[in-house]
Amino acid sequence: MPEELDRALASALGLGAALSRPTDRLVDQEDVVPHYVIEVPGIGDSPGCVSLVKSDFHAPTFKSGSVQVLDVPSFALYFAKHESDSTKTSASVGQSEVTSTFDWHSQEYPGRGVHSLSLVCQKTLEWQKLKNASGQTFSQTKFADFIDDLSHCFEKPDPAQLSEIVLNLEGANNAVWNSRFDRVSGGVQIAYTEEAQAKTKSGVLFPTQGTVACPVFVGGPPVQFLVKFRYRVNEGSLSVGFVLDQIDKWEREAFLATVKQVEEATKAKVMLAP
């Protein structure tokens, strides 16, 4: 008799354990955060319970990170691999930077905004040197060195001819300088009287303007600029320099040209931002 009771009790406990054992199933549907549904059945008239547990292991993966490039071809290459209908591209005129956020808001779902590509328009070394030298005056020797350093940028007058003018002037540092504007040629006639021979005059035609060409931004096309040459006579000695007019305008136009290149390379509309 006790053995039969023990068997009956053991069967009841086993049945209860089987009924109370929870079951789980994974829900991994599109546009639904993956989660487990855990069901614990009821015993007798007692209702069961259902729990929803988020699955980190089965969570969807998202692209993230910030990538920076220096030229339009590199930008277009990365853009082509990751663009979608939720991509937003904007250009900051103040920062000279074009940015594409690939996981922005689409028409149906909000984006996360953690995956972006930036084209950083970095100024070239040549443009920085020209910009920094604009408005300054140099001794004749230093100006000749400056021309030699950027000879690949000077177009008119020819850098060799310009250097020759400077070198010829250099040989008369101890002379007394005079100047007059030549209306016919458009140049400034710089003349000096040698102290040893007061009656002898010799002249050199100094250009009033010229052109230089160089890319403003790394990877960008060369841009031609007008330069105005200047000189200063001080107590018989001569200093030379040049001026680039409207520097901010040149940089802005070069950036807007880069934005146009991005639109052509990516077939995307770029929004302008401050």
Side-chain angles (χ1 to χ4, degrees):
M1 188 69 175
E3 294 180 358
E4 293 179 359
L5 290 175
D6 290 341
R7 286 195 296 270
L9 182 59
S11 298
L13 291 174
L15 179 60
L19 291 175
S20 63
R21 183 177 296 114
T23 60
D24 61 83
R25 57 188 176 88
L26 175 66
V27 177
D28 189 8
Q29 301 174 353
E30 186 177 359
D31 302 326
V32 175
V33 177
H35 62 277
Y36 284 103
V37 177
I38 301 176
E39 300 180 4
V40 179
I43 300 177
D45 295 333
S46 300
C49 63
V50 178
S51 300
L52 305 179
V53 180
K54 180 182 177 182
S55 171
D56 292 330
F57 181 78
H58 292 89
T61 57
F62 296 97
K63 297 176 182 178
S64 63
S66 235
V67 178
Q68 292 184 333
V69 295
L70 288 176
D71 58 9
V72 174
S74 300
F75 187 94
L77 180 64
Y78 193 90
F79 185 93
K81 292 182 179 180
H82 302 283
E83 68 164 321
S84 67
D85 60 351
S86 61
T87 299
K88 181 193 76 169
T89 304
S90 61
S92 171
V93 179
Q95 299 295 326
S96 298
E97 189 170 311
V98 182
T99 301
S100 285
T101 304
F102 297 107
D103 53 346
W104 196 243
H105 305 314
S106 64
Q107 295 181 353
E108 299 180 3
Y109 305 104
R112 302 173 74 236
V114 295
H115 183 205
S116 64
L117 168 67
S118 295
L119 170 60
V120 180
C121 294
Q122 190 175 39
K123 296 180 178 66
T124 62
L125 183 61
E126 292 86 352
W127 172 247
Q128 290 179 347
K129 287 183 177 181
L130 289 169
K131 181 179 177 180
N132 293 336
S134 177
Q136 299 186 25
T137 54
F138 302 85
S139 67
Q140 292 163 261
T141 302
K142 289 185 178 180
F143 190 66
D145 292 339
F146 181 81
I147 296 172
D148 291 340
D149 184 31
L150 295 178
S151 60
H152 57 289
C153 297
F154 282 89
E155 290 187 334
K156 294 180 180 180
D158 180 78
Q161 295 177 354
L162 188 57
S163 295
E164 184 179 356
I165 293 174
V166 174
L167 292 175
N168 287 337
L169 296 176
E170 185 179 7
N173 279 338
N174 295 325
V176 177
W177 290 91
N178 298 295
S179 62
R180 67 179 179 85
F181 181 73
D182 190 334
R183 294 179 179 272
V184 177
S185 65
V188 174
Q189 186 75 22
I190 298 179
Y192 61 90
T193 301
E194 297 179 356
E195 295 179 353
Q197 299 175 350
K199 295 182 179 180
T200 303
K201 294 183 178 181
S202 177
V204 177
L205 185 63
F206 189 78
T208 58
Q209 64 183 26
T211 56
V212 294
C214 73
V216 174
F217 299 114
V218 174
V223 181
Q224 188 181 70
F225 309 97
L226 177 67
V227 297
K228 296 180 179 179
F229 294 106
R230 291 182 175 180
Y231 70 94
R232 179 176 298 172
V233 179
N234 185 16
E235 296 181 356
S237 64
L238 178 69
S239 57
V240 190
F242 68 93
V243 174
L244 281 171
D245 283 338
Q246 301 177 317
I247 291 178
D248 293 339
K249 176 191 174 205
W250 292 120
E251 290 186 349
R252 182 172 64 254
E253 290 185 353
F255 176 69
L256 293 178
T258 300
V259 172
K260 185 177 180 180
Q261 287 181 318
V262 170
E263 289 183 329
E264 293 174 351
T266 62
K267 308 302 180 184
K269 181 63 179 176
V270 180
M271 298 181 295
L272 293 181

